[in-house]
Amino acid sequence: ETQEKQTKQKRKQRTLLECCSRLAAPRTHHALLLLFALPLAHPTTTTTKEQRRHGTIKAPHRCRARRRYRTRNMAAAIKIFDAVKVPFHYNYIDMGKDIYLKGYSNGMTPEAKDTVERLGILFKGPMETPKGVGVKSINVTARKVWSTFANKRVFKTLPGVETVYSRAGINVDLTLFRENIEDTYGGIEHYQTNDVAQTRRLITRPGSLQIHRMAFEVARNKGAHRITCCHKANIHKLTDGLFLSTFYEVAKDFPDLKADDSIVDDLAMKLVMDPRKFDVVVLPNLQGDIMSDLCAGLVGGLGMAPSANLGERISIFEAVHGTAPDIAGKKMANPTALLMSGLMMLRQYGLAEKADAIQRGLEAALASGDRTRDLVQLPGRSPLGTDGFADSVIHHIAPEAKATSVAFSDIKFTAPVKPAANPMLSDTAARDRTKEKTVGTDFFVDSELLPNQVADVIQGVLSKEKDAAPFALTMISNRGTQVWPTGSLFTEVVNHYRCRLELKNKEEGGAKESDLLELVSDISKKIRVCSLEMLLEIDGKKGYSLAQGQ
């Protein structure tokens, strides 16, 4: 009779698991995503089969049946949440390497995508993208697909985490906002010739305004004394220039905050010399990626670096370290970064008291000498495993925090509403096209000819085409440096030239794009054209860059 009951119980558990995405064995190295649905009316609510079937209320026991983890870090974080009665209900899905290998080129199944878009909150463990097979990073894909435009990272000195700064008595407290969608992370790349690969770097006004406004709002709420825009506008005058100008545009709405800017290389030096001088920093995507890892080094490494990817409708909370396959299954990983990312999530949705209680427990555990193997150990103390460290954090949490339940009305969360169409960020009504005109084109050619020879070919075509009369070849550059009509013979060249055609008289109005396309088409019959860009003037200002030496 006992065996029969056990068999029925196992069959029931298998049925429940088959309703979810299939989870691989716990020792695989791919991350498990944890999605938080709407909270239960009460953790012990009884529900009817009809309610469960239609998703009106999610049953607590079903959540328990699904609770299998790909990483010990995730298990540790949820164990600590449960200890203080965080009132979340969990749904689990798979993304990452296994899903790529099953033929899903974006690393997620349609069911996983629909679940994220229905729930709106994603607590994500580290996940792996297959290398060398041409697929995009699942981590970047998730951030971009769901428009989590602001990557917020908090770097604070923790007690018991020894660094060169803590030994010097310097406490680090930095918040970085990294733009999460644009920049070179658009991943728009092409081979122009056999020797030349190109990436397009996109910085937009709406995207820059989004990240700056959120950074300023958080800085004000934090009581920050300073907010700094990091950039490379001295070189990237249009792209970083746009990011910088929109920063000061938003700053006008926050006169109580000191707003300044710093070139990225200078900022890197100053952060290493004295990180206390900075408070909140906002950066473009690529620079933010690099500088956030630098800041992680200030407080003990990526294992101490939480991360939140915030959007208007969907948000992702994740640790920024990798998958660490060398210690998978050994119960040795440090769960601190993922746990602190979860604390950012709790604070985001109105559970600050629970987050603060866990934070105090974490700091007390570290200060007591309880640490995982990646941190400096106290003399005579042995490192704890993942589970042991989680137990230590729970032990150091105040008893009243473990006993107190949260009123569900205090949770600040609204599930996302699916838009009828892709939201357009650009303000089309405010655009004045009468102030914009096309004045020429930059077209790129693939040729082993020398600069003067390339110019001769193009001018030969222009001299024979009647429609070419309004235009002149004004510049040829190679790797950004002018090589015609003037230049230096010491400038080395490759088989990729930028050739600029401009209106001879720009005061008479703009050119037609169709005329320029036809002209470049004629040129392409004599020399291979790789790509082209139209030259735009906006309100009398050049919307294109000069070559070095022009």
Side-chain angles (χ1 to χ4, degrees), residues 163-472:
T163 68
V164 293
Y165 296 96
S166 64
R167 288 197 293 268
I170 297 174
N171 288 322
V172 178
D173 185 1
L174 282 168
T175 301
L176 261 64
F177 276 90
R178 165 190 170 191
E179 197 287 319
N180 225 10
I181 306 295
E182 303 178 350
D183 205 336
T184 54
Y185 284 69
I188 306 170
E189 297 185 309
H190 304 89
Y191 263 98
Q192 298 279 291
T193 79
N194 66 313
D195 279 347
V196 179
Q198 170 196 268
T199 185
R200 291 186 180 230
R201 183 173 191 251
L202 302 178
I203 302 290
T204 71
R205 180 179 301 279
S208 299
L209 290 172
Q210 269 189 325
I211 183 67
H212 291 323
R213 189 160 296 280
M214 180 172 285
F216 271 96
E217 288 171 352
V218 169
R220 173 179 280 173
N221 294 336
K222 179 187 175 186
H225 65 276
R226 179 184 185 186
I227 180 169
T228 303
C229 179
C230 175
H231 62 89
K232 194 66 177 173
N234 57 322
I235 302 299
H236 299 140
K237 298 185 183 298
L238 299 184
T239 48
D240 275 42
L242 177 59
F243 191 81
L244 181 59
S245 65
T246 50
F247 171 80
Y248 283 114
E249 184 178 331
V250 174
K252 295 175 182 177
D253 297 331
F254 296 84
D256 52 313
L257 290 173
K258 177 186 176 182
D260 57 19
D261 66 272
S262 177
I263 295 172
V264 61
D265 39 330
D266 186 49
L267 178 67
M269 178 188 68
K270 288 178 178 176
L271 280 171
V272 172
M273 291 177 67
D274 189 355
R276 294 172 298 185
K277 292 182 178 179
F278 296 92
D279 199 339
V280 176
V281 182
V282 58
L283 315 90
N285 204 337
L286 178 60
Q287 297 166 22
D289 192 3
I290 297 167
M291 296 298 289
S292 58
D293 278 18
L294 181 150
C295 290
L298 304 179
V299 296
L302 291 175
M304 301 291 119
S307 172
N309 302 287
L310 307 175
E312 299 289 354
R313 299 166 183 83
I314 295 172
S315 293
I316 304 171
F317 301 86
E318 61 179 343
V320 296
H321 56 69
T323 53
D326 56 317
I327 60 171
K330 298 180 181 179
K331 301 182 180 180
M332 300 164 62
N334 183 350
T336 302
L338 185 63
L339 175 61
M340 291 198 300
S341 300
L343 301 188
M344 294 176 74
M345 175 178 63
L346 299 188
R347 293 186 176 99
Q348 182 75 11
Y349 298 107
L351 298 174
E353 290 187 6
K354 293 295 184 184
D356 292 344
I358 296 173
Q359 182 77 32
R360 288 191 291 270
L362 170 64
E363 292 179 358
L366 290 168
S368 74
D370 289 344
R371 302 166 192 176
T372 49
R373 72 181 187 102
D374 56 311
L375 301 177
V376 176
Q377 304 300 314
L378 294 179
R381 300 290 294 271
S382 299
L384 297 178
T386 310
D387 296 339
F389 184 73
D391 290 339
S392 176
V393 173
I394 293 170
H395 172 74
H396 285 90
I397 294 174
E400 58 270 21
K402 301 175 189 176
T404 306
S405 297
V406 176
F408 292 99
S409 58
D410 292 339
I411 298 176
K412 301 173 183 178
F413 171 66
T414 303
V417 177
K418 192 171 185 177
N422 295 94
M424 171 58 72
L425 296 181
S426 295
D427 187 354
T428 54
R431 183 176 183 180
D432 186 356
R433 290 183 179 271
T434 62
K435 295 182 178 180
E436 303 173 13
K437 64 180 179 180
T438 300
V439 296
T441 183
D442 277 350
F443 61 96
F444 299 81
V445 301
D446 171 3
S447 177
E448 280 77 24
L449 295 175
L450 295 175
N452 286 341
Q453 295 170 320
V454 172
D456 289 343
V457 172
I458 295 170
Q459 289 182 319
V461 175
L462 296 178
S463 64
K464 296 176 182 178
E465 296 292 334
K466 294 181 180 179
D467 293 337
F471 302 99

Side-chain angles (χ1 to χ4, degrees), residues 487-529:
S488 170
L489 292 178
F490 285 94
T491 303
E492 298 172 333
V493 296
V494 297
N495 59 358
H496 184 259
Y497 292 94
R498 172 176 55 161
C499 308
R500 176 165 293 174
L501 292 179
E502 292 185 271
L503 282 172
K504 295 174 182 176
N505 189 350
K506 298 175 185 176
E507 303 300 324
E508 295 182 356
K512 292 182 179 179
E513 286 86 354
S514 56
D515 291 343
L516 286 164
L517 289 171
E518 188 173 345
L519 188 54
V520 173
S521 176
D522 291 335
I523 293 170
S524 70
K525 296 173 185 176
K526 299 294 184 180
I527 192 169
R528 180 177 177 268
V529 175

Side-chain angles (χ1 to χ4, degrees), residues 40 43 45-48 52 57-64 89:
L40 297 168
T45 300
T46 56
T47 59
T48 65
R52 292 196 291 270
I57 298 178
K58 303 286 188 179
H61 73 268
R62 179 175 295 183
C63 165
R64 298 289 177 182
H89 177 102

